[in-house]
Amino acid sequence: MAYLRLRQICLVADTLEPLVADLCQVLGLTVCHRDPGVERFGLHNALLRIGNSFIEVVAPLSDSRGDGTAATRHLALGKTMGSKLLGSSWTTPRSSSFFR
């Protein structure tokens, strides 16, 4: 039987650390990784592990590199403070009947 597993949820925030701190405190999580490579897209991020899945929080950089990013445009559409669901990634194990 094939099944899908939620691998990652990405949240976008105006500023990174307040949301990350709230998630860590409320859910009892810790940051497991920060990817410096997302800076080339005008972002910074934090990954929080939940079992074998992740919550990723991204935010535009506060300098001009954060202007015009997809995250900035997404936040502008919401017209509200706080985080927004940006996307999710689904995986299906190769051992499932889906691939047979």
Side-chain angles (χ1 to χ4, degrees):
M1 177 166 87
Y3 67 95
L4 296 174
R5 174 180 70 88
L6 179 64
R7 182 178 162 265
Q8 181 174 345
I9 292 174
C10 183
L11 304 173
V12 63
D14 291 324
T15 54
L16 184 68
E17 294 309 325
L19 180 57
V20 171
D22 286 349
L23 288 170
C24 287
Q25 181 180 0
V26 170
L27 300 176
L29 303 173
T30 58
V31 174
C32 66
H33 183 69
R34 293 179 188 267
D35 183 0
V38 300
E39 286 184 16
R40 70 175 172 241
F41 302 111
L43 303 169
H44 54 150
N45 75 339
L47 282 164
L48 311 168
R49 182 186 301 263
I50 300 180
N52 63 356
S53 299
F54 298 93
I55 295 174
E56 180 179 18
V57 182
V58 298
L61 293 170
S62 58
D63 60 22
S64 63
R65 294 177 294 169
D67 296 341
T69 66
T72 304
R73 291 190 301 274
H74 182 77
L75 288 168
L77 290 174
K79 309 277 192 273
T80 60
M81 298 284 293
S83 63
K84 306 289 183 197
L85 179 64
L86 182 62
S88 60
S89 174
W90 295 87
T91 60
T92 304
R94 291 252 175 221
S95 61
S96 74
S97 60
F98 179 80
F99 292 101
R100 292 185 193 155

